[in-house]
Each structure stands twice: as C-alpha cells, then as structure tokens.
Amino acid sequence: MNKKNNLDLENLDEIMDLVGELLISKSRLETLEAFKDQDRDILSQLDRITGELHDKVMKVRMIPLANIFQEFNQIIKASKTKIELDIEGKDIEVDRAVINKLADPLSQFLKSLVSNIEEQKIQENTKEEITEEISIKATKTGNEVIIEFEDNAKLIDLDQLQEKIIDNNILSKEELEKMSKEEIFNLILKDNISAEKAAEDADQNIAAVKSIKKDIEAINGDLYLELSEDNNLKTVIIIPLKFAITEALMVKVDGDLFAIPLEMVNETKRIPNSQIKKVKNEDVINYRENTIPLIDSYDFLNFNKKDESDSSASEIEVVILNTGRKSAALRVDELLNQQDIVVKSLGDLLSNTKNIAGATIIGDGEIALIIDVRDIA
C-alpha cells in the first residue's frame, strides 16, 4: 500500500483549498497601488513561500498511475480469450483527484476493448489458439499525461463508417475523399454523429469511445483517435497532471476577462491585418511554415460581434494554441499577463456551457471564465 494513500485526504484537500485562497490574496495584494518599491521585496518573498507551499502539497497529493493499472490485470484474467496486456508508465504520478475520477472510466473502456476482442474471436470461429495483445502506454509531457490504448482487433470498420456517414447525409463522398483515415475515424467523436449513425456492427465500440471522451473532458482532458505504425486504431487520452491550481494566460474579450490554460498556449503574437488570408472562406494565417485557422473569440464564445468599422487597428492580437494534434490562432481584444489561477467548477447548472471549462477569481476579486480550447481546431 502506498504510504500516500494512508494520509488524511480530506484534510489534504482542505489544505489545497487554503493554498488556493492564499494565491488569490497574494494576487490581490499585487494589484494594490499602496505598495511602494521597497514593499515589493515582501511580495516577492510571499510569492516564493506560496509557491513552495503549493509544490509541497502537490507532491503529497501525487500518486502513481499504478493505482489504476493494477485493476487492469484482473480484467484481463477474467477474459474468455487469451490476451497479453503490456503496460508502460506505471510510475508516472498524477493528482489523486485525477486518479479518482479516471479509475472507473478507464476500467470500463478496457472492458469494452476486451469484449470486442472476444466477439471477433467468436465471429472468426477459429480453433487456433492465438494470443491477442492490448498495449497501454503512458507518457508525461509538460503538465499533461498521454495514455494510449492500442490492440490488434478491428475496433471500427473504416469502409462501413464512411458508408454510414454518406447514407446519413453527414458528409458527401467527395468531402470524405479529401480527408485522411485518421480524420474520418475522428468524425465519430463529433456531437452530431451518434453511434447508430456511424456504424451498425461497431455501435457499442463507438459508444464506448464517446462515453470515455465525455469523462475525460469533464476533467479538462482530451481524447482522439490515430493510426499506429502497425495500422491499428489507437485511442489517445490526454489528462492533466493536477487539478485545482494551474498557470494561465489572461486575455480580454469584449471587456470581459478570460483565462486560457498555459499548457495549451504556444505563444502570443501581434499579426498585421495584411497577413490574414482566406481559404475556403475561412480566415487563416501562416505560422512556422504552416497554414493554421484564425478563430475569432467572439464567434468561439458566441458573443455579438463588434462592427468591423469600429476598429482601425492595423494589427490584431492572437494566441497560438496547441490542442494536441493541431494548432490554431485565437484572436482576442487584449493580451494581459500570465498568472497562477485556482480552478473552480461552474456547478451542475452551467457545467455544459459550450467552450467554457470553469471559472477563477483573480487579484481584484473579479471572476474570469476559463476558455476550453480543446476543440478549437
């Protein structure tokens, strides 16, 4: 048993809440004009102490992914089919709160993969004893952990998927021909495509992928599908290392304050209007020899758009975002500063608000909404 699991976790959560309140109070002090230059040393010291306290509490809250993965072996042993489970990254540590929310969804998803393998074995009706394989690989990158599920069974039939998409008038044959295999597979994750519309034989598999995607997004993670080197369909899950406190870029849109999680930000730029181009009637810009979409924050947040004639600026301010597989530029009214924020839930009534992941309180007591940019590209 991990010693960290023996701690009074309720008290630990309360300490983390207090650290969050301390961060908010520190930010409020920084906004006071009454502080003179000599007082800034006190703020710097407070900043250092607060940061160290936060780091120490987080270290105690962190537990290895092995706490989830140890249950996976029991699922494999219970299978009617001979399956070899290969797991990498058991020792990677994440916030206990993330572990608690992930344990059941990941176990259910593994069960769906095992069930799919068993059903295909029955359909093949072969007497030859072949060991199937499921690979689970976890890697840490920045403030995120990537967990990849891969097996050698056919999770979704591509030809059947394309046929159903065309039959249900979701996309035309011509539109599908312009897309890569990975882009077509990822269509099943769209809200407007149900499992029944996407496939008949594989509707349970698709429902399982869509279900875990919803669970992953609830903790500000992401999920997408990609093809492995062996041409197997791989489910890629991205989860945050920690909850509660994170770094964010503060921006303004229509006079309101918003926060963008810093792990999603590549950089900020000022772009001359002359560099904005049109591709298929959509705004794009060139970024590091690539063409990326330019998204207006007013459209993304469903705000009433300003009259273009009101703006005489020759440049616009943008945030270059990296959502895992694609980059995009988000146009904002004003770029502000970077700061630590305490992430607060929107509650049940507002939890489904589109493109908003939560809220935070900043130094002067103002509430800022946290923009969810995962599906921006």
Side-chain angles (χ1 to χ4, degrees):
M1 178 72 70
N2 193 311
K3 289 182 180 179
K4 293 181 182 179
N5 293 338
N6 296 326
L7 294 170
D8 187 337
L9 295 177
E10 185 176 341
N11 282 337
L12 190 58
D13 286 340
E14 290 179 3
I15 292 172
M16 179 56 85
D17 288 340
L18 290 172
V19 172
E21 296 299 325
L22 185 59
L23 278 172
I24 293 172
S25 298
K26 176 183 72 70
S27 297
R28 296 189 71 175
L29 284 174
E30 290 173 340
T31 64
L32 296 177
E33 295 182 1
F35 275 96
K36 299 178 181 179
D37 290 339
Q38 59 265 33
D39 297 321
R40 295 293 165 182
D41 291 338
I42 301 174
L43 283 178
S44 296
Q45 187 176 9
L46 179 60
D47 186 47
R48 178 183 60 80
I49 295 171
T50 305
E52 288 182 4
L53 179 59
H54 169 245
D55 290 342
K56 294 294 184 184
V57 174
M58 280 308 306
K59 283 181 180 178
V60 178
R61 284 176 62 100
M62 303 292 272
I63 57 176
L65 286 170
N67 284 264
I68 296 178
F69 292 165
Q70 63 188 4
E71 298 180 12
F72 290 178
N73 290 316
Q74 299 302 318
I75 296 172
I76 297 300
K77 286 180 181 179
S79 172
K80 303 172 185 177
T81 303
K82 192 173 181 181
I83 300 175
E84 182 179 318
L85 181 63
D86 181 28
I87 300 178
E88 295 182 33
K90 296 179 183 178
D91 296 332
I92 293 175
E93 294 189 334
V94 299
D95 192 332
R96 178 189 56 83
V98 176
I99 293 284
N100 288 346
K101 291 182 178 292
L102 273 182
D104 187 56
L106 289 182
S107 294
Q108 292 301 321
F109 184 65
L110 178 60
K111 288 178 181 178
S112 72
L113 294 181
V114 171
S115 177
N116 181 53
I117 290 174
E118 291 173 344
E119 289 178 7
Q120 289 196 23
K121 278 286 188 182
I122 294 172
Q123 291 174 5
E124 291 170 1
N125 195 25
T126 177
K127 295 182 180 180
E128 185 180 357
E129 184 91 13
I130 299 176
T131 301
E132 304 295 336
E133 296 179 3
I134 295 179
S135 168
I136 302 173
K137 181 181 179 182
T139 53
K140 179 183 173 183
T141 170
N143 291 321
E144 297 176 328
V145 173
I146 300 173
I147 304 176
E148 301 175 349
F149 283 78
E150 179 183 351
D151 61 34
N152 53 4
K154 183 180 285 187
L155 186 67
I156 302 163
D157 186 282
L158 181 62
D159 293 334
Q160 185 190 99
L161 176 60
Q162 292 184 91
E163 184 179 332
K164 294 291 288 184
I165 287 173
I166 294 170
D167 289 346
N168 284 284
N169 297 317
I170 297 169
L171 289 175
S172 67
K173 181 179 179 181
E174 291 72 24
E175 288 174 316
L176 287 175
E177 287 174 349
K178 296 176 182 177
M179 300 173 69
S180 67
K181 289 182 180 180
E182 286 186 357
E183 287 174 330
I184 295 172
F185 278 125
N186 278 283
L187 287 173
I188 68 169
L189 302 177
K190 300 292 184 183
D191 291 335
N192 64 333
I193 299 181
S194 64
E196 294 78 12
K197 286 184 177 180
E200 293 174 353
D201 296 337
D203 57 349
Q204 290 184 341
N205 299 333
I206 294 173
V209 174
K210 292 174 79 74
S211 175
I212 192 173
K213 183 175 189 290
K214 186 176 180 181
D215 292 320
I216 296 301
E217 289 179 343
I219 60 169
N220 294 327
D222 196 12
L223 179 149
Y224 60 88
L225 304 173
E226 70 176 23
L227 292 173
S228 69
E229 293 179 357
D230 297 327
N231 219 32
N232 295 325
L233 188 60
K234 186 163 58 175
T235 304
V236 182
I237 295 169
I238 302 175
I239 59 171
L241 272 178
K242 57 188 180 182
F243 271 168
I245 298 172
T246 188
E247 290 182 290
L249 171 69
M250 310 305 295
V251 300
K252 273 196 173 181
V253 179
D254 198 25
D256 292 326
L257 194 61
F258 291 89
I260 302 174
L262 208 56
E263 61 262 25
M264 296 288 188
V265 178
N266 272 358
E267 63 177 292
T268 58
K269 294 174 73 71
R270 294 184 66 87
I271 303 290
N273 283 320
S274 59
Q275 291 186 10
I276 302 174
K277 308 298 181 184
K278 288 280 188 182
V279 173
K280 296 181 181 179
N281 207 33
E282 300 288 339
D283 288 340
V284 298
I285 62 170
N286 287 324
Y287 176 67
R288 295 182 181 176
E289 300 182 354
N290 291 313
T291 299
I292 64 173
L294 174 63
I295 311 298
D296 194 305
S297 55
Y298 283 77
D299 294 332
F300 191 65
L301 297 169
N302 200 27
F303 283 6
N304 291 325
K305 211 164 186 178
K306 285 183 176 179
D307 189 342
E308 295 291 340
S309 62
D310 291 344
S311 177
S312 58
S314 59
E315 294 182 322
I316 62 169
E317 295 184 324
V318 300
V319 183
I320 307 296
L321 301 164
N322 183 0
T323 61
R325 293 166 298 141
K326 296 182 179 180
S327 294
L330 180 66
R331 177 178 181 173
V332 298
D333 290 341
E334 188 178 355
L335 296 166
L336 301 175
N337 60 312
Q338 296 178 16
Q339 68 179 67
D340 290 331
I341 62 170
V342 181
V343 180
K344 299 290 186 182
S345 169
L346 291 175
D348 292 338
L349 289 176
L350 299 174
S351 60
N352 292 322
T353 304
K354 188 176 180 182
N355 299 329
I356 298 296
T360 187
I361 302 172
I362 61 167
D364 59 1
E366 185 178 353
I367 294 176
L369 295 177
I370 303 169
I371 301 179
D372 183 354
V373 297
R374 289 169 301 194
D375 295 327
I376 195 168

